[in-house]
Amino acid sequence: KKTLSLRLVTRFVNYIFTPIDGAFPISSKKVHVTGHAIDFNHLIMSKNDNGKVVSVGRIDRVKQLDVLIKAMNKLDSKNGPSLGVDLIGPVTDPKYEAELKKDWVNRAQLKFLGPINHTLIFSVLSEYSFCFMGTANSIDKAFIEACVSGCFPLSTNKQALKSVGQNRLKTTDIAE
C-alpha cells in the first residue's frame, strides 16, 4: 500500500532494501533487492508424501491462518480427516489462536508447536509434504525455506507462488 509515510520516507533515504522484487510498493531507483539470506548448507530435502501441512511463523491475524483452516475443513469434509496441520511459531495473538482452535472441525489434527530454533528448521521442514503462507503482501523467509526443503507450496499470495515457480496455478486450482 502506497501510504503517505512511505512516499515521504522514499524521498529522504538513499537506499531501500527489500528481499524480493515487488515487496516494496513504490517503484524507485533506490529500491535494492537483497534476497532472503537463506543458509542452504543445512538443507535437508523432504521425501515425505505424508500429506502433512506446516506453517512456520508467528500465530497472528496477518498470517491469515484462518484461510488454511477453512481450506482444510473443506478438504476434510470431502475426503475424510486429513493428516493435519502443524503451526510452528510463537503466539502473538492469543485471541486469534483461540479462534483457529474453535474453527477447526477436526481439532485433534491441529497442533500449535511453538517456536523452534532456526538451526533446526530444515530438518523439521523435511517432515512435511506441504507448507502454507497466507501473508498477503510479502513473502516470508520460512515459506521459501520450506519450498526449497521439498515442501509443496500452498498460498493465496500469487507473488509468493511465482517466487517458488508455481505461477502456472490458478487461484481456483488451489481453492479446490
Side-chain angles (χ1 to χ4, degrees):
K1 194 174 178 181
K2 298 177 186 178
T3 62
L4 177 62
S5 59
L6 275 181
R7 287 193 295 259
L8 283 173
V9 167
T10 301
R11 291 179 156 239
F12 294 106
V13 298
N14 294 325
Y15 302 100
I16 300 167
F17 297 102
T18 182
I20 62 158
D21 189 32
F24 189 76
I26 298 172
S27 186
S28 169
K29 291 179 182 177
K30 296 177 180 183
V31 175
H32 298 276
V33 178
T34 61
H36 279 84
I38 297 171
D39 182 5
F40 294 104
N41 292 326
H42 298 95
L43 178 63
I44 300 171
M45 288 298 290
S46 174
K47 294 185 176 91
N48 267 320
D49 58 356
N50 60 16
K52 288 181 73 175
V53 180
V54 66
S55 183
V56 180
R58 68 187 187 278
I59 312 303
D60 195 284
R61 223 167 275 284
V62 73
K63 301 297 184 176
Q64 297 184 16
L65 296 167
D66 54 301
V67 172
L68 174 62
I69 300 303
K70 288 174 188 167
M72 294 301 289
N73 282 338
K74 187 174 183 178
L75 183 66
D76 285 359
S77 71
K78 284 185 175 181
N79 302 325
S82 66
L83 292 174
V85 172
D86 290 351
L87 304 177
I88 298 173
V91 175
T92 57
D93 186 342
K95 287 182 183 177
Y96 187 57
E97 177 191 27
E99 289 172 25
L100 294 173
K101 287 179 179 177
K102 187 182 92 182
D103 291 344
W104 182 265
V105 172
N106 191 356
R107 288 179 184 82
Q109 303 299 339
L110 177 64
K111 295 179 186 161
F112 292 81
L113 302 179
I116 61 167
N117 187 312
H118 195 265
T119 59
L120 303 174
I121 193 72
F122 286 121
S123 63
V124 169
L125 290 172
S126 71
E127 299 172 17
Y128 296 90
S129 297
F130 302 97
C131 61
F132 174 80
M133 188 198 72
T135 307
N137 297 320
S138 67
I139 300 173
D140 290 342
K141 178 180 175 182
F143 181 71
I144 295 173
E145 290 171 330
C147 291
V148 299
S149 293
C151 294
F152 188 84
L154 304 173
S155 182
T156 57
N157 181 329
K158 290 180 183 179
Q159 181 70 22
L161 292 172
K162 184 178 178 183
S163 75
V164 294
Q166 295 301 328
N167 53 331
R168 298 176 320 277
L169 296 176
K170 296 181 185 114
T171 306
T172 53
D173 295 336
I174 298 164
E176 292 176 11

